[in-house]
């Protein structure tokens, strides 16, 4: 192997197969600088907010100033974009969820499905972080089957739409200026998208309490009681659930990078602990069983990086399918979950402490494993792609 300088070696520490070498030297340097900034802004401070279920507005503002407020504006290179998102998850999964909602669901929906006027009205303020948005799809009784079972309705009355129903688990739901709301048109039974300003009469958001994962993300129950919005607030290009799937496909395909970053953070914390923790007269890093756990985490991370890279390649050519995105999501989140358990196991009781870092990862990866389609639902999507037979019912 060729000799590497200390800057590159800092990347190799968790990237055993050196996927980072697919980036340009300039991108590698920027990634190192971003990591150092996140280590200063996020790592020493986020545990307190996480433990109290509070959103750290000041931390999020400073992270946004690094470019995460509009990550597509940071780079046109999808591979580098993936690594940037991984670095944010490496610092804190909850914050990466917040910015994924901000960019990959709300921003991406307006970009892809909004009219020019809608984009001009809402995107500048969103990307300037003057306000937050939320993506209201999941319902109290409809999660995995929301495509066919959506109960929230929209009815056209003259120059207005009237929305009734309820949504659940809506990230950022208690602190959003606008909500992207999906509802079934009573006239043609098609799922359509709407921009709802959250101060509209009849809109009510209630924070979901007592979560054990992604605790700083403000998830909400939202109810709509005769919520009236102007007709022009219907998303111009969101007319069937197939349009919704365009957004879900891109978001799901990018989740592998969240699993990459989470496992980078897990390996960081576990290896540091193994080198510093002394038992039986020497660092536990010198014990065979501890090394075995670290190696399995590193192997899971390397496999996750490989899948995330391939997903980016497919998306860049416009050829990625829901079968492929679901396979990447289910397997990378499964490996991430295993890595978190191995790291916590290696650290013993200290592995459940939020301020140590791994304790937060251990809890937060449960959310990664579940959202954007459960492991089982994504398995059914892949199974349908392999066999041509749907086994959903």
């Amino acid at each position: 192997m060729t000799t590497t300088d200390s800057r590159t070696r800092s990347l190799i520490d968790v990237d055993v197969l050196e996927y980072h070498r697919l980036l340009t030297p300039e991108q590698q340097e920027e990634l190192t600088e971003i990591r150092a900034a996140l280590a200063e802004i996020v790592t020493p401070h986020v545990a307190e907010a996480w433990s109290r279920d509070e959103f750290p507005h000041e931390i999020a503002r400073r992270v946004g100033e690094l470019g995460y407020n509009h990550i597509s504006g940071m780079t046109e290179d999808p591979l580098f974009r993936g690594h940037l998102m991984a670095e944010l998850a490496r610092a804190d999964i909850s914050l990466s969820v917040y910015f994924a909602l901000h960019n990959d669901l709300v921003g991406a929906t307006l970009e892809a499905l909004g009219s020019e006027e809608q984009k001009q009205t809402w995107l500048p303020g969103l990307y300037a972080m003057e306000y937050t948005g939320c993506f209201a799809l999941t319902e109290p009784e409809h999660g995995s089957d929301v495509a066919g079972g959506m109960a929230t309705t929209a009815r056209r009355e003259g120059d207005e739409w009237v929305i009734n129903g309820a949504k659940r688990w809506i990230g950022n739901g208690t602190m959003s200026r606008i909500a992207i709301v999906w509802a079934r048109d009573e006239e043609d039974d098609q799922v359509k998208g709407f921009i709802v300003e959250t101060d509209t009469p009849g809109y009510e958001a209630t924070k979901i309490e007592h979560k054990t994962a992604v605790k700083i993300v403000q998830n909400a129950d939202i109810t709509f009681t005769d919520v009236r919005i102007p007709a022009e607030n219907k998303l111009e290009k969101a007319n069937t659930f197939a349009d919704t799937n365009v957004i879900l496909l891109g978001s799901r395909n990018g989740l592998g990078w969240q699993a990459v970053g989470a496992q980078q953070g897990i390996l960081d914390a576990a290896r540091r602990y193994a080198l510093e923790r002394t038992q039986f007269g020497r660092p536990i890093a010198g014990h065979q069983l501890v090394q075995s756990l670290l190696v399995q985490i590193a192997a899971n991370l390397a496999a996750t990086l490989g899948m995330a890279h391939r997903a980016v390649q497919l998306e860049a050519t416009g050829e990625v399918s829901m079968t492929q995105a679901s396979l990447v999501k289910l397997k990378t989140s499964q490996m991430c979950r295993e890595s978190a358990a191995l790291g916590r196991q290696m650290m013993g009781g200290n592995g459940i402490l939020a301020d140590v870092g791994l304790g937060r990862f251990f809890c937060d990866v449960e959310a990664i494993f579940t959202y954007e389609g459960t492991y089982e639902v994504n398995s059914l999507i892949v199974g349908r792609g392999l066999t041509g037979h749907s086994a959903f019912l």
Side-chain angles (χ1 to χ4, degrees):
M1 179 181 293
T2 58
T3 302
T4 57
D5 61 28
S6 58
R7 173 183 58 76
T8 304
R9 189 174 299 281
S10 71
L11 290 167
I12 291 175
D13 281 345
V14 294
D15 183 9
V16 178
L17 296 183
E18 302 186 21
Y19 278 100
H20 70 276
R21 287 185 175 273
L22 298 176
L23 301 173
T24 67
E26 294 75 19
Q27 288 173 332
Q28 292 180 44
E29 184 173 358
E30 185 174 349
L31 209 60
T32 301
E33 292 171 356
I34 288 282
R35 181 179 311 131
L38 290 170
E40 176 186 347
I41 294 168
V42 177
T43 307
H45 311 293
V46 75
E48 186 176 353
W50 188 93
S51 297
R52 295 199 307 256
D53 294 6
E54 294 179 356
F55 185 79
H57 290 278
E58 178 60 19
I59 294 175
R61 182 190 65 78
R62 295 184 64 190
V63 171
E65 289 174 350
L66 297 176
Y68 285 99
N69 59 313
H70 184 197
I71 194 168
S72 294
M74 296 173 74
T75 177
E76 295 181 357
D77 184 339
L79 182 58
F80 185 44
R81 183 183 188 276
H83 279 279
L84 288 168
M85 288 306 297
E87 287 301 330
L88 184 53
R90 183 179 189 166
D92 184 72
I93 295 176
S94 287
L95 275 175
S96 77
V97 172
Y98 166 77
F99 280 100
L101 289 166
H102 183 86
N103 288 291
D104 295 338
L105 287 178
V106 179
T109 299
L110 289 167
E111 295 269 16
L113 303 178
S115 66
E116 287 304 314
E117 182 179 353
Q118 289 167 342
K119 287 188 275 190
Q120 291 172 12
T121 299
W122 297 109
L123 284 175
L126 186 76
Y127 289 146
M129 293 191 73
E130 294 172 1
Y131 50 77
T132 293
C134 65
F135 187 87
L137 176 64
T138 302
E139 298 186 346
E141 302 302 327
H142 299 285
S144 298
D145 71 343
V146 72
M150 184 176 294
T152 301
T153 62
R155 182 178 70 257
R156 180 69 182 262
E157 289 188 1
D159 293 333
E160 294 181 319
W161 285 90
V162 183
I163 300 175
N164 283 282
K167 301 291 182 178
R168 182 164 173 79
W169 291 115
I170 308 307
N172 303 342
T174 63
M175 48 187 256
S176 292
R177 173 73 179 83
I178 61 170
I180 304 297
V181 179
W182 303 93
R184 190 175 302 281
D185 186 345
E186 291 183 0
E187 182 176 353
D188 62 10
D189 205 38
Q190 295 295 321
V191 172
K192 297 176 180 176
F194 304 86
I195 302 168
V196 178
E197 297 182 61
T198 59
D199 59 358
T200 304
Y203 180 103
E204 183 176 357
T206 305
K207 180 181 175 181
I208 297 174
E209 303 282 2
H210 311 304
K211 294 188 303 174
T212 60
V214 291
K215 288 159 66 66
I216 70 173
V217 178
Q218 304 299 290
N219 293 91
D221 284 312
I222 301 177
T223 58
F224 305 86
T225 306
D226 290 330
V227 173
R228 292 181 173 271
I229 61 171
E232 58 266 26
N233 278 29
K234 181 198 160 294
L235 285 165
E236 183 180 57
K237 302 172 186 176
N239 297 306
T240 72
F241 197 82
D243 300 320
T244 316
N245 260 339
V246 171
I247 306 303
L248 298 180
L249 173 59
S251 177
R252 185 171 296 173
N253 200 49
L255 283 178
W257 291 104
Q258 207 165 53
V260 166
Q263 287 176 93
Q264 287 174 333
I266 289 164
L267 188 53
D268 282 338
R271 186 183 54 189
R272 182 170 57 250
Y273 185 84
L275 291 169
E276 295 173 353
R277 175 70 167 173
T278 299
Q279 292 287 280
F280 304 105
R282 62 174 179 170
I284 64 172
H287 298 169
Q288 290 180 351
L289 294 178
V290 169
Q291 288 192 4
S292 177
L293 296 174
L294 290 173
V295 168
Q296 184 58 54
I297 296 170
N300 283 347
L301 171 56
T304 301
L305 266 164
M307 296 186 81
H309 273 246
R310 181 56 182 152
V312 160
Q313 291 174 330
L314 289 167
E315 186 171 16
T317 61
E319 297 175 344
V320 67
S321 68
M322 188 63 82
T323 296
Q324 293 165 329
S326 292
L327 179 66
V328 171
K329 195 276 175 179
L330 73 86
K331 193 59 184 177
T332 58
S333 64
Q334 182 191 51
M335 289 188 290
C336 185
R337 193 187 199 197
E338 180 184 51
S339 294
L342 292 170
R344 199 224 63 80
Q345 175 184 337
M346 193 211 76
M347 292 175 65
N350 289 325
I352 66 171
L353 297 174
D355 56 358
V356 172
L358 207 144
R360 296 198 314 278
F361 284 113
F362 180 70
C363 293
D364 286 349
V365 297
E366 288 300 306
I368 293 178
F369 188 67
T370 301
Y371 59 51
E372 293 281 359
T374 63
Y375 183 92
E376 291 76 15
V377 166
N378 279 304
S379 295
L380 291 173
I381 292 171
V382 177
R384 182 178 60 194
L386 289 171
T387 66
H389 292 277
S390 177
F392 279 84
L393 296 176

